[in-house]
Amino acid sequence: MNAPDRYERFVVPEGTKKVSYERDTKIVNAASFTVEREDHTIGNILRMQLHRDPNVLFAGYKLPHPLQYKIIVRIQTTSQSSPTQAFNQAIDDLDKELDYLKKGFEDEKNRYEEKLRQGY
Amino acid sequence: MSSSTKLSALDMPDVPMGHLPEHLHLQRTRVVCKADAPIHTEGIQYSGAYASTGVDISMGPNKFCKNFKIEVVRLTEDEIEFDMVGIDASLANAFRRILIAEVPTMAIEKVLMVNNTSVIADEVLAHRLGLVPLNADPRLFEYLSENDTPNERNTIVYKMEVSCKKGGSRVTVKSDQLKWLPNGSELQMTTYDSSAKAKSYTSFSCSQDSLPEFSKKPLGVRFDDIILAKLGPGQVIELEAHAVKGMGKVHAKWSPVATAWYRMLPEVVLLKEVKGDDAEKLVKKCPVGVFDIEDLGNGEKKAAVANSRACTLCRECVRGVNEELVELRRVKDHFIFTIESTGAFSPEELFIKAVKILEEKCDRVISELS
């Protein structure tokens, strides 16, 4: 009865930005990014990639409430980088890795099908 | 007292430079499944985790590309099993989540009941129709939102007319009774304005089978032996069903996989030498045949690990007396994926689609902030 509509999980309503940014006033080089209409699928991956960056001191994500479909990613970096830079870098790295993964899978699939065909 | 040069503990000759000591490497790359619960399950990616030992485990895309490997083990029309080495659990889980919930498919959404005198209630029958997997490729269709009119680009129309003759035997209604209507809906919408032309529920501007993509493969149901209802003598079902494009996130009927799952590669290690009768007992204990007997020359028998990949973690080999003999481990970055498709896509296309969807998600999340 009180459950929100299912399409709310991925449709960003008019007027709200997909990603919003809030600098942390008390800690230098720290910021929180609120990503609307996303969940663990992208949050956990982003956190993992941020951890791999040597300039990142703190990276974490949370879903404030399971019925509010957004994630908050908190990043603190060294002075050599900035949270926005680390965020963008992490996503770019993920893009590259996924491209490589897709190509690798397609190559392997073609190789396997070739092998099957020659086995006949 | 002669002054001796102070050696750091890390420069001691038996600790290799730049690498983690053995036990830390085990902690970092293996989950050890003990008899009661697994340990070392957390993934240590933080680049500074071992900074005090001088080891840097940061990873960029180049290092990832060097360590990454894929191997297809089995590929059939409906199912694929493949190994991915070098990715993290969060990526594997993301692919699983996307395969189940975010790859779009076609499924029946609206059911227009003309006549239903069977024992199955209208809504129950409509629910069952929604779950029937269809043979339609969702890439050829667009999403239908509330204010759009249903046309040949976003709807598929099916009709079902079954009746059981009075005095005849019972009829089982199977999914092959769903007939595809390429020309759109045949039912007229009731208008209160008698002068206006009667409108149909869908406005197809051209027949769907005239379009080249559909003439190759007629749009039907994937499996024709799904039982939808049973009719007794004199009962009739007459309905029209409209199928639209959707995602598993909204309702499970739009999920393109029967299921998709992954498991980590098992690694079974014998901590001590097991000989003779104990070896026989150990081999018999395992229900899937992980262990095997190895004959050493003079009639002696030794147990060895033959097929650790088959281990299902039943823990029979570590129960009771045997706890000290075997160690069950899982390799943290080697995943064995299995994808079972319901038929709209082939399983390898499904995985490629899932990777594309994850890339699109990443692109949407890249901020437009300065």
Side-chain angles (χ1 to χ4, degrees):
Chain A
M1 184 177 70
N2 286 328
D5 288 314
R6 280 304 200 120
Y7 61 77
E8 296 270 337
R9 301 179 90 177
F10 46 89
V11 174
V12 186
E14 297 281 321
T16 35
K17 285 169 67 171
K18 179 82 180 173
V19 186
S20 47
Y21 164 90
E22 225 179 68
R23 259 197 46 182
D24 191 337
T25 48
K26 298 181 215 148
I27 305 180
V28 279
N29 283 324
S32 299
F33 294 85
T34 307
V35 188
E36 286 285 333
R37 314 299 156 155
E38 288 296 344
D39 57 4
H40 300 282
T41 308
I42 199 90
N44 203 8
I45 291 194
L46 199 45
R47 177 203 61 92
M48 185 249 324
Q49 195 63 29
L50 282 165
H51 273 228
R52 288 176 171 171
D53 187 348
N55 287 328
V56 165
L57 292 174
F58 178 91
Y61 84 101
K62 68 176 175 183
L63 267 78
H65 193 277
L67 289 177
Q68 283 171 7
Y69 306 117
K70 62 179 174 178
I71 55 169
I72 300 182
V73 184
R74 193 150 182 280
I75 307 175
Q76 184 189 357
T77 59
T78 57
S79 48
Q80 291 181 339
S81 168
S82 85
T84 337
Q85 202 183 334
F87 190 86
N88 287 332
Q89 182 69 33
I91 302 259
D92 284 331
D93 285 347
L94 273 175
D95 252 328
K96 283 198 212 111
E97 290 180 12
L98 287 171
D99 259 330
Y100 187 79
L101 203 154
K102 187 166 66 173
K103 216 174 65 66
F105 181 76
E106 283 172 337
D107 289 341
E108 170 61 25
K109 176 199 76 155
N110 292 334
R111 198 193 62 89
Y112 183 81
E113 286 181 333
E114 269 303 309
K115 203 175 68 154
L116 268 186
R117 231 175 296 147
Q118 278 168 13
Y120 279 139
Chain B
M1 224 39 217
S2 61
S3 58
S4 47
T5 47
K6 287 212 158 107
L7 258 184
S8 137
L10 303 164
D11 291 328
M12 295 297 225
D14 55 339
V15 176
M17 273 310 296
H19 293 292
L20 285 175
E22 267 307 306
H23 63 288
L24 285 182
H25 186 76
L26 184 86
Q27 248 185 33
R28 191 175 159 244
T29 60
R30 303 285 191 272
V31 176
V32 180
C33 304
K34 294 216 168 283
D36 46 357
I39 53 174
H40 307 147
T41 54
E42 64 280 343
I44 302 180
Q45 277 96 252
Y46 178 47
S47 52
Y50 301 105
S52 54
T53 60
V55 178
D56 179 20
I57 52 175
S58 65
M59 195 168 2
N62 300 327
K63 236 183 173 182
F64 171 83
C65 296
K66 258 197 307 183
N67 295 338
F68 178 71
K69 229 171 40 133
I70 282 195
E71 199 185 306
V72 175
V73 171
R74 195 175 65 233
L75 173 57
T76 67
E77 202 189 313
D78 286 329
E79 198 182 318
I80 185 174
E81 187 183 322
F82 63 97
D83 280 20
M84 274 207 283
V85 189
I87 63 166
D88 183 64
S90 51
L91 255 180
N93 196 28
F95 287 134
R96 185 194 63 92
R97 286 173 70 104
I98 290 179
L99 280 165
I100 291 178
E102 302 201 29
V103 180
T105 341
M106 304 292 290
I108 290 176
E109 165 87 345
K110 276 206 170 75
V111 176
L112 305 169
M113 288 287 187
V114 177
N115 193 357
N116 176 17
T117 47
S118 72
V119 291
I120 314 288
D122 285 352
E123 63 270 16
V124 178
L125 186 55
H127 178 245
R128 291 176 72 82
L129 282 167
L131 294 169
V132 169
L134 302 174
N135 222 349
D137 189 346
R139 289 170 292 199
L140 305 168
F141 290 90
E142 298 157 355
Y143 283 101
L144 172 68
S145 70
E146 279 162 19
N147 354 356
D148 289 344
T149 44
N151 57 35
E152 72 277 7
R153 284 263 141 234
N154 53 31
T155 324
I156 311 177
V157 182
Y158 292 92
K159 179 174 82 160
M160 182 156 91
E161 269 174 21
V162 197
S163 62
C164 182
K165 277 210 306 278
K166 250 192 155 57
S169 62
R170 296 213 171 132
V171 167
T172 307
V173 181
K174 296 206 174 152
S175 54
D176 58 357
Q177 303 278 5
L178 273 171
K179 304 273 184 307
W180 176 39
L181 298 176
N183 288 324
S185 173
E186 292 173 351
L187 302 174
Q188 314 280 4
M189 274 207 273
T190 50
T191 47
Y192 297 104
D193 187 358
S194 50
S195 59
K197 213 163 49 117
K199 253 190 336 158
S200 152
Y201 279 99
T202 60
S203 35
F204 277 37
S205 57
C206 69
S207 168
Q208 265 177 339
D209 57 13
S210 64
L211 295 169
E213 358 358 309
F214 303 137
S215 53
K216 269 183 282 164
K217 204 170 67 146
L219 302 174
V221 293
R222 178 76 171 86
F223 303 100
D224 355 323
D225 51 354
I226 301 177
I227 298 179
L228 292 170
K230 292 195 176 178
L231 294 177
Q235 293 175 349
V236 175
I237 294 183
E238 248 183 78
L239 54 83
E240 204 178 84
H242 295 192
V244 293
K245 187 170 172 178
M247 287 205 283
K249 250 187 174 168
V250 180
H251 191 285
K253 67 188 177 195
W254 278 301
S255 181
V257 288
T259 189
W261 74 93
Y262 64 85
R263 60 187 182 114
M264 293 190 277
L265 181 77
E267 195 184 56
V268 181
V269 171
L270 284 168
L271 297 173
K272 293 196 200 133
E273 275 221 340
V274 186
K275 287 201 176 142
D277 275 341
D278 286 340
E280 297 272 349
K281 272 196 275 186
L282 187 62
V283 172
K284 272 216 202 77
K285 267 215 161 109
C286 182
V288 286
V290 171
F291 301 101
D292 205 0
I293 296 284
E294 210 180 270
D295 278 319
L296 316 161
N298 42 359
E300 273 204 4
K301 288 188 276 217
K302 194 173 83 153
V305 177
N307 184 13
S308 62
R309 194 186 160 103
C311 178
T312 56
L313 207 61
C314 67
R315 289 191 170 99
E316 275 299 317
C317 47
V318 287
R319 207 179 290 255
V321 191
N322 295 3
E323 210 170 308
E324 304 299 315
L325 300 174
V326 184
E327 192 170 76
L328 298 168
R329 296 189 201 147
R330 292 281 185 275
V331 183
K332 277 190 202 174
D333 63 351
H334 185 139
F335 292 94
I336 303 173
F337 257 91
T338 315
I339 302 176
E340 290 179 2
S341 158
T342 50
F345 283 108
S346 68
E348 65 270 13
E349 276 174 2
L350 265 176
F351 185 73
I352 296 178
K353 191 78 173 56
V355 181
K356 274 203 201 111
I357 290 179
L358 187 54
E359 285 179 343
E360 283 167 23
K361 264 184 186 276
C362 291
D363 288 334
R364 252 181 291 145
V365 165
I366 274 204
S367 61
E368 305 96 0
L369 306 168
S370 52

mmCIF file of all heavy atoms in Angstrom, chain A residues 90-110:
data_model
loop_
_atom_site.group_PDB
_atom_site.id
_atom_site.type_symbol
_atom_site.label_atom_id
_atom_site.label_comp_id
_atom_site.label_asym_id
_atom_site.label_seq_id
_atom_site.Cartn_x
_atom_site.Cartn_y
_atom_site.Cartn_z
ATOM 1 N N ALA A 90 37.982 6.745 -11.385
ATOM 2 C CA ALA A 90 37.503 5.384 -11.104
ATOM 3 C C ALA A 90 36.526 4.932 -12.180
ATOM 4 O O ALA A 90 36.601 3.795 -12.666
ATOM 5 C CB ALA A 90 36.846 5.326 -9.724
ATOM 6 N N ILE A 91 35.610 5.826 -12.572
ATOM 7 C CA ILE A 91 34.634 5.438 -13.591
ATOM 8 C C ILE A 91 35.324 5.194 -14.926
ATOM 9 O O ILE A 91 35.002 4.237 -15.650
ATOM 10 C CB ILE A 91 33.552 6.525 -13.740
ATOM 11 C CG1 ILE A 91 32.869 6.761 -12.417
ATOM 12 C CG2 ILE A 91 32.573 6.155 -14.807
ATOM 13 C CD1 ILE A 91 31.560 6.119 -12.258
ATOM 14 N N ASP A 92 36.302 6.061 -15.267
ATOM 15 C CA ASP A 92 37.016 5.854 -16.534
ATOM 16 C C ASP A 92 37.748 4.521 -16.530
ATOM 17 O O ASP A 92 37.722 3.785 -17.522
ATOM 18 C CB ASP A 92 38.025 6.994 -16.760
ATOM 19 C CG ASP A 92 37.332 8.268 -17.200
ATOM 20 O OD1 ASP A 92 36.270 8.147 -17.846
ATOM 21 O OD2 ASP A 92 37.840 9.362 -16.904
ATOM 22 N N ASP A 93 38.399 4.217 -15.404
ATOM 23 C CA ASP A 93 39.103 2.929 -15.317
ATOM 24 C C ASP A 93 38.130 1.771 -15.465
ATOM 25 O O ASP A 93 38.416 0.781 -16.138
ATOM 26 C CB ASP A 93 39.828 2.819 -13.968
ATOM 27 C CG ASP A 93 41.072 3.681 -13.929
ATOM 28 O OD1 ASP A 93 41.485 4.151 -15.001
ATOM 29 O OD2 ASP A 93 41.624 3.877 -12.830
ATOM 30 N N LEU A 94 36.955 1.887 -14.830
ATOM 31 C CA LEU A 94 35.956 0.829 -14.931
ATOM 32 C C LEU A 94 35.520 0.646 -16.376
ATOM 33 O O LEU A 94 35.366 -0.483 -16.852
ATOM 34 C CB LEU A 94 34.729 1.172 -14.078
ATOM 35 C CG LEU A 94 34.805 0.756 -12.632
ATOM 36 C CD1 LEU A 94 33.595 1.265 -11.893
ATOM 37 C CD2 LEU A 94 34.874 -0.749 -12.515
ATOM 38 N N ASP A 95 35.309 1.778 -17.078
ATOM 39 C CA ASP A 95 34.923 1.702 -18.485
ATOM 40 C C ASP A 95 35.949 0.924 -19.285
ATOM 41 O O ASP A 95 35.610 0.039 -20.085
ATOM 42 C CB ASP A 95 34.828 3.131 -19.058
ATOM 43 C CG ASP A 95 33.397 3.533 -19.296
ATOM 44 O OD1 ASP A 95 32.596 2.634 -19.612
ATOM 45 O OD2 ASP A 95 33.093 4.724 -19.173
ATOM 46 N N LYS A 96 37.227 1.267 -19.047
ATOM 47 C CA LYS A 96 38.290 0.579 -19.799
ATOM 48 C C LYS A 96 38.292 -0.910 -19.479
ATOM 49 O O LYS A 96 38.394 -1.763 -20.357
ATOM 50 C CB LYS A 96 39.666 1.169 -19.437
ATOM 51 C CG LYS A 96 39.943 2.481 -20.095
ATOM 52 C CD LYS A 96 41.435 2.811 -20.079
ATOM 53 C CE LYS A 96 41.611 4.318 -19.976
ATOM 54 N NZ LYS A 96 42.148 4.756 -18.701
ATOM 55 N N GLU A 97 38.181 -1.227 -18.184
ATOM 56 C CA GLU A 97 38.221 -2.631 -17.794
ATOM 57 C C GLU A 97 37.047 -3.396 -18.397
ATOM 58 O O GLU A 97 37.189 -4.528 -18.854
ATOM 59 C CB GLU A 97 38.198 -2.753 -16.265
ATOM 60 C CG GLU A 97 39.474 -2.276 -15.617
ATOM 61 C CD GLU A 97 39.439 -2.390 -14.102
ATOM 62 O OE1 GLU A 97 38.514 -3.041 -13.579
ATOM 63 O OE2 GLU A 97 40.323 -1.831 -13.450
ATOM 64 N N LEU A 98 35.857 -2.765 -18.410
ATOM 65 C CA LEU A 98 34.686 -3.450 -18.946
ATOM 66 C C LEU A 98 34.819 -3.667 -20.446
ATOM 67 O O LEU A 98 34.391 -4.704 -20.980
ATOM 68 C CB LEU A 98 33.416 -2.657 -18.637
ATOM 69 C CG LEU A 98 33.004 -2.715 -17.183
ATOM 70 C CD1 LEU A 98 31.885 -1.734 -16.927
ATOM 71 C CD2 LEU A 98 32.549 -4.102 -16.814
ATOM 72 N N ASP A 99 35.402 -2.680 -21.139
ATOM 73 C CA ASP A 99 35.633 -2.840 -22.575
ATOM 74 C C ASP A 99 36.526 -4.041 -22.827
ATOM 75 O O ASP A 99 36.260 -4.863 -23.711
ATOM 76 C CB ASP A 99 36.329 -1.590 -23.134
ATOM 77 C CG ASP A 99 35.353 -0.689 -23.838
ATOM 78 O OD1 ASP A 99 34.365 -1.220 -24.381
ATOM 79 O OD2 ASP A 99 35.583 0.524 -23.839
ATOM 80 N N TYR A 100 37.594 -4.113 -22.019
ATOM 81 C CA TYR A 100 38.546 -5.208 -22.189
ATOM 82 C C TYR A 100 37.875 -6.545 -21.885
ATOM 83 O O TYR A 100 38.088 -7.534 -22.583
ATOM 84 C CB TYR A 100 39.725 -4.973 -21.240
ATOM 85 C CG TYR A 100 40.849 -5.937 -21.432
ATOM 86 C CD1 TYR A 100 41.757 -5.768 -22.469
ATOM 87 C CD2 TYR A 100 41.012 -7.035 -20.592
ATOM 88 C CE1 TYR A 100 42.789 -6.662 -22.654
ATOM 89 C CE2 TYR A 100 42.043 -7.922 -20.770
ATOM 90 C CZ TYR A 100 42.929 -7.742 -21.803
ATOM 91 O OH TYR A 100 43.948 -8.623 -21.979
ATOM 92 N N LEU A 101 37.034 -6.554 -20.846
ATOM 93 C CA LEU A 101 36.316 -7.769 -20.460
ATOM 94 C C LEU A 101 35.402 -8.220 -21.580
ATOM 95 O O LEU A 101 35.354 -9.392 -21.943
ATOM 96 C CB LEU A 101 35.494 -7.472 -19.206
ATOM 97 C CG LEU A 101 35.073 -8.608 -18.301
ATOM 98 C CD1 LEU A 101 34.881 -8.070 -16.911
ATOM 99 C CD2 LEU A 101 33.787 -9.231 -18.752
ATOM 100 N N LYS A 102 34.679 -7.244 -22.183
ATOM 101 C CA LYS A 102 33.738 -7.606 -23.231
ATOM 102 C C LYS A 102 34.480 -8.188 -24.424
ATOM 103 O O LYS A 102 34.080 -9.220 -24.967
ATOM 104 C CB LYS A 102 32.944 -6.369 -23.645
ATOM 105 C CG LYS A 102 31.823 -6.691 -24.616
ATOM 106 C CD LYS A 102 30.860 -5.558 -24.757
ATOM 107 C CE LYS A 102 31.529 -4.381 -25.399
ATOM 108 N NZ LYS A 102 30.591 -3.310 -25.698
ATOM 109 N N LYS A 103 35.585 -7.510 -24.791
ATOM 110 C CA LYS A 103 36.340 -8.015 -25.929
ATOM 111 C C LYS A 103 36.884 -9.403 -25.633
ATOM 112 O O LYS A 103 36.825 -10.296 -26.466
ATOM 113 C CB LYS A 103 37.489 -7.048 -26.249
ATOM 114 C CG LYS A 103 37.765 -6.937 -27.732
ATOM 115 C CD LYS A 103 38.783 -5.881 -28.033
ATOM 116 C CE LYS A 103 40.152 -6.178 -27.483
ATOM 117 N NZ LYS A 103 40.792 -7.336 -28.111
ATOM 118 N N GLY A 104 37.414 -9.576 -24.410
ATOM 119 C CA GLY A 104 37.962 -10.876 -24.029
ATOM 120 C C GLY A 104 36.918 -11.964 -24.114
ATOM 121 O O GLY A 104 37.176 -13.068 -24.594
ATOM 122 N N PHE A 105 35.692 -11.653 -23.664
ATOM 123 C CA PHE A 105 34.630 -12.653 -23.685
ATOM 124 C C PHE A 105 34.255 -13.005 -25.107
ATOM 125 O O PHE A 105 34.072 -14.175 -25.454
ATOM 126 C CB PHE A 105 33.416 -12.148 -22.922
ATOM 127 C CG PHE A 105 32.286 -13.120 -22.883
ATOM 128 C CD1 PHE A 105 32.337 -14.218 -22.045
ATOM 129 C CD2 PHE A 105 31.167 -12.960 -23.676
ATOM 130 C CE1 PHE A 105 31.306 -15.132 -21.998
ATOM 131 C CE2 PHE A 105 30.137 -13.862 -23.637
ATOM 132 C CZ PHE A 105 30.210 -14.952 -22.799
ATOM 133 N N GLU A 106 34.123 -11.975 -25.968
ATOM 134 C CA GLU A 106 33.741 -12.260 -27.350
ATOM 135 C C GLU A 106 34.808 -13.092 -28.047
ATOM 136 O O GLU A 106 34.486 -14.042 -28.780
ATOM 137 C CB GLU A 106 33.512 -10.956 -28.111
ATOM 138 C CG GLU A 106 32.184 -10.328 -27.759
ATOM 139 C CD GLU A 106 32.018 -8.953 -28.353
ATOM 140 O OE1 GLU A 106 33.041 -8.311 -28.653
ATOM 141 O OE2 GLU A 106 30.872 -8.530 -28.500
ATOM 142 N N ASP A 107 36.087 -12.745 -27.804
ATOM 143 C CA ASP A 107 37.169 -13.522 -28.420
ATOM 144 C C ASP A 107 37.121 -14.969 -27.958
ATOM 145 O O ASP A 107 37.246 -15.896 -28.764
ATOM 146 C CB ASP A 107 38.534 -12.927 -28.041
ATOM 147 C CG ASP A 107 38.773 -11.608 -28.732
ATOM 148 O OD1 ASP A 107 38.082 -11.349 -29.742
ATOM 149 O OD2 ASP A 107 39.633 -10.840 -28.270
ATOM 150 N N GLU A 108 36.928 -15.145 -26.659
ATOM 151 C CA GLU A 108 36.927 -16.499 -26.108
ATOM 152 C C GLU A 108 35.737 -17.285 -26.634
ATOM 153 O O GLU A 108 35.840 -18.471 -26.950
ATOM 154 C CB GLU A 108 36.905 -16.414 -24.582
ATOM 155 C CG GLU A 108 36.676 -17.706 -23.879
ATOM 156 C CD GLU A 108 37.735 -18.738 -24.149
ATOM 157 O OE1 GLU A 108 38.872 -18.356 -24.477
ATOM 158 O OE2 GLU A 108 37.426 -19.946 -24.060
ATOM 159 N N LYS A 109 34.580 -16.614 -26.767
ATOM 160 C CA LYS A 109 33.395 -17.302 -27.258
ATOM 161 C C LYS A 109 33.621 -17.753 -28.692
ATOM 162 O O LYS A 109 33.304 -18.880 -29.069
ATOM 163 C CB LYS A 109 32.184 -16.376 -27.164
ATOM 164 C CG LYS A 109 30.920 -16.979 -27.749
ATOM 165 C CD LYS A 109 29.890 -15.948 -28.077
ATOM 166 C CE LYS A 109 30.246 -15.223 -29.327
ATOM 167 N NZ LYS A 109 29.085 -14.650 -30.016
ATOM 168 N N ASN A 110 34.214 -16.853 -29.528
ATOM 169 C CA ASN A 110 34.465 -17.233 -30.915
ATOM 170 C C ASN A 110 35.452 -18.376 -31.004
ATOM 171 O O ASN A 110 35.282 -19.312 -31.783
ATOM 172 C CB ASN A 110 35.009 -16.022 -31.695
ATOM 173 C CG ASN A 110 33.951 -14.962 -31.857
ATOM 174 O OD1 ASN A 110 32.771 -15.262 -31.848
ATOM 175 N ND2 ASN A 110 34.378 -13.721 -31.987
#
